[in-house]
Amino acid sequence: MKLKALRLRDVRRFVEPVAIESFSGGLDVLAGPNEAGKSTLLAALDALFLEKHTAGGTKIGALSPYGGGQPLIEADFEASGQLWRLTKQFGRGKKAELTDLGAGRMVARGGEAEQMLAELIGTGEGGRGGPGLLWAGQKTLLTPQAVETSKKKEGGDAATLYRAIEREIEAAAGGSEARAVRQLVVEALSKLVPPARRTSPKAGSPYEAAVKERERVKEALAEARAAAEASAERLKAIAEQRQRRGAAPAAIAGLKEQLAAATATLSLKREAGQRLTTARAEERARHAEAAAAERELKVLDEALQELSELEPKVAADADRVASASAELSRLRTEVEKLTAAETEASADVQRLGDLNMRRGRADERARAAAEIEGKSRVLAAARGLEAEIAAARQQLGAIAIDGAIIGRLEGITRELAIAEARLTAAAPTVRIALAEGGAGKLAIGGAPVIESVELKVAEPLAIDIAGIGRVVIEPGASPDRAADEARVAAQRGEIGQLLRACGAESVAAARVRQAEAETQRRAIAEAEARLGGMAPKGVAELAREISGLEQGLAAEPADSDVPARSEIETRLAEARQRHQSAREGLDRARVAMAGATEAHARMQVEVARRRERLGELDGSLPPAAVRGEERARRASLRDAARQALGEAMQAASALAGTAPGEGEVDRLSAEREELERKLVKSTAFLAELEQSIAKLEGAQEQADEDGIGARVAALEGELERAERHVRRFETEVAELDVLLAALTAAESQSREHSFRPVTERLGAYLDLVLPGARAVLGEGLSPATIERSGLAEALGNLSDGTQEQLAVLARLAYARLIADTGEPVPLILDDALVYADDERIARMFAVLEEAAHHHQVLVLTCRERTFERLGGNRLSLTQWRPE
Amino acid sequence: MAFSFIHTADWQLGKPFRNFEERLVGLLEEARFEAIDRIAEIARAHGAAHVLVAGDIFDDRGVDNQIVRKAIERLARHPGLAWHLIPGNHDFAQPAGLWQRFARLGGPANVTVHDAPRVAELAPGVALLPAPLTGRLLSEDPTAWMDAAETPPGSIRIGLAHGSIQDFGDDGESAVRIDPARARKAGLDFLALGDWHGKQRVDGKTWYSGTPEPDRFAANEPGHVLAVRIEAAGGAVAVEPVRCARYTWVSASADLAGTSDLETLAEALAQAADDPTRVLARVTLTGALAPSDIAAIEPWRETLSARLRHIEVDASRVTARTGRDDIAELAGSGVIGAAARILQDKLEAGDEREAQLAQGALVRLVRLVRQVREAAP
């Protein structure tokens, strides 16, 4: 079938009649914005071709405009090589009319028209059961199971097609039987394992029960083994403990014996220790007594000894005191004598000293007088020299020329000489060589020339030649000469002035005076030096010194009665010697007397003390008559005490042998306590052992009652059975799995074979869109997987765009198959390819264009711009005026 | 003067049998106690007043008291008989152990537990030399003492022991070794041994009686007691094995060529005992069958299971006969056929485990197709 025109009125929003008259029958494109009425057009198509005109209810209600009305739909189409017109009025006044446009006559109406339509487009019962129209809707494409073309209960286009193909498969391969077998396998499996995870048993299944039973038995077996082991251990423990209990009483008796022996030993040792302690105390008492007796005797003996020593000493004391007193008085006398001698010698020394001083003063006075005399002579000489100097100075004043003047003279004289020399040098030279006999014939300046001469003519020179005349030679005039001549004149003038000032006739005379003055000066200096030597501090001072000395001399009177110094000194030395020896003798005598005095005093103290001690001793001792008797008594007491001590020591050392050693009692006591503890412990241990045995036996009896120990064998048997049981299920599941896999593979082989017509056509289209890819069809003829580069991808894993494109391609393939095998069916794409990118959509457009060569493709889209690139015939709505 | 007695051993009372289905466990346990009655009957029939039990009276020294009480009760039922028991490796003697329990729980007067290696007089001129075990493993021959054991001159000397005869293979239960020449060395007229569950003559004077009631699938002639008659000390010894078992344990294997072999096998098993309900069978099947025939094994087992007391079938080594014909016949060229071919390929190419699973799956497929077809009108 190819749709050529569609007209409608009172269909939803199209209340007014509209039409699309320009269908090409190939690729027809209706592009328009949303709500342009595309859906209404589709609904109209659907109703027209797939609903009977008698249909009612919601379906047709949904077609009617909001304001009510009876939907009228008409289409012109090609089928079986002819052009037809189908008109259907739904609702009130419903009708159906089929017109053969070629013949220009209505060929059927009502039910007859419906039946004829079904035959024409292949939807009827008697036809191939084809779909009539194929749809690819925007929203349904992504859910393959929901793909539908019509809203018929039978299902969609694919389902229809599938049914047709399946019928062939069944015919060829006994498909229903296979399905039944498969069903049974699935059922059997589903009883044992969950559909998703076939590796574990299904909850509540006998398989699971078997596995659980096996686990239970395993656990019970482990428990039973542990119990059996415990039982064996317990029996071993009982045997062992019984054996120990058998030996225990003997051990306890042994301990008791040991304890008794230890107790006895300990008490014996303790008694011996006690006895030794007593003996030691006795020994210590005897020792003290003996020591006391010893002391008593010793005290007496010592007193007697001292007494015997003191008595003779006291008797000699009186003589010794007397001789000491005599010595003392002798010494006192000697001291007095020596004191007097010393006093006398001292006075002599004093007197001679005074005399010596007088001698000194007299000597000093004589020396001063001599000095005055000497100095007076010097003073007179000095005064003479002073007068000489004054005269010389006066003389010097007369001849001395000021040094500055002399200096100036010297300087000018040198300058004058220079100026004159310059003048001379500049002057012409006049050589007069006298001829023989010429002498004196010539005169210059009036002076005859007597020998050959050479003259410088500095000023006009007049040579008088006797008899002949005068030759005057004048030096040539020049400014330099004039200046020099002026200078010479000035200098000569100054020299004259200076000479006058100093009263000299000439420079040479000035120089002579200068030398004389110098000699005078040196003489004055020499005289002054001599004067300085005589009176360094000046003449006046010298005179004052002399005057001072003379006054001193006048103040000291002259002492004439003084012996000579040497005499005085001899006598003084002798007196000093005497005084010295007198004082030494006195000192010695005084020391001796002090010693004697001290010794005397000491002796007196000693004598008194001795006497006192003698008295004491005598008082402390028994009367002299009984002293011997007393000593004998004390000696005997001491001997007795010594005897008693010896005996006590012997007794103690005899006991020491049996007495316990260091720490022995403690050790024995500890040993005994240890034994006691052991006994208590052993007794307690026995009681414990008995308790333990009773407990173990009780436990064993209980275990025996339950036969725990024997359960192992039983459980081993049970485990074997349980494992067998589980294995049976495992095998069953594994076998069913294998069978199911084999059935699935076989079905897939069959399906692939039967689906080949669709697969091949799909492949051709797919190659244009996804080159190299291969689609595998699944249930319902939908692509299930795509294979690319040898890898299979499930449809669900592909992108939405690819899934959608595959769905469109699948429908194109069905349409192509239908077209290739008989009456073509239009494929309607309703806003499809929404997910395609630019490149994909271009390829899809190519496919659509290709497909349109074989059957009509009606594209409805709201994306006008995207679909601009799609070729084909553009449809537009026009007004329709129904007849 | 001749002396007659019954030699038995390895009663294994209280053996749990929990690897069997529950309904069978009680029966098997009970059968072991019933054996005591049957032994008593045999003793009476043979004019024997003494029953010598060579160890392993109980299955475990830890059996619960109820088992011990039941044993006591059974033994006490026969006051005319003197039961002589020695501890074996399963129920060895130890302080506070099983045998003290036995005494405490009321060991009857007609039962003597010989728990020490001491000569006992069974009758005037008849000395019993018991060799009780005191542990599961003993390094020394417990019968060694018998060589030097003194008995009144002219006495009949009967040894009673539990353990493996040296050089007697490794099938003995215990690790206790007994010199096979003991009877000769110790001058015994008879050495009654326990431990080996089958009846076994070691020499004319040394025997294992085996267990009176079989407890496993072992082809070693269990289920007997020995009626022994000794004419005189050093005289002739007559040993007569007497069947005592209630249940017959059959271990069978069959190499199948077709389903008819299964029927033959079923008949043979049913006739292993007078009464098929006293037969316990363990069957190992081998051979190559068509998958449809393999599918028939399970129904066969179910049928036989109702007939016998117990049957275990190991068909894991039956292989599916290869051949496309079978499959073609089964499922033609459709999906089922394709699935069958896939499984067939796995069966032939896969490793052992995969092949086994594929075979199982194939057999299931056959069964399910059959089920579907039968259900279809």
Side-chain angles (χ1 to χ4, degrees), chain A residues 727-740 742, chain B residues 316 343-344 346-347 350-365:
Chain A
R727 264 201 307 280
R728 221 178 63 211
F729 282 116
E730 283 171 350
T731 307
E732 187 175 348
V733 169
E735 287 177 359
L736 286 170
D737 263 343
V738 169
L739 179 52
L740 191 61
Chain B
S316 65
L343 292 173
Q344 185 73 46
K346 277 196 169 175
L347 182 60
D351 66 15
E352 197 183 339
R353 162 89 182 144
E354 260 183 51
Q356 226 164 45
L357 288 178
Q359 177 173 323
L362 191 58
V363 172
R364 277 175 197 280
L365 178 62

Side-chain angles (χ1 to χ4, degrees), chain A residues 381-394:
Chain A
R383 279 186 176 143
L385 198 53
E386 230 176 5
E388 272 174 41
I389 291 167
R393 278 187 201 267
Q394 203 169 6

Side-chain angles (χ1 to χ4, degrees), chain A residues 134-155:
Chain A
L134 278 171
W135 300 74
Q138 165 193 352
K139 289 178 186 123
T140 52
L141 281 172
L142 290 181
T143 48
Q145 287 80 0
V147 167
E148 289 182 10
T149 47
S150 73
K151 283 79 184 169
K152 299 277 186 206
K153 275 184 278 206
E154 293 81 5

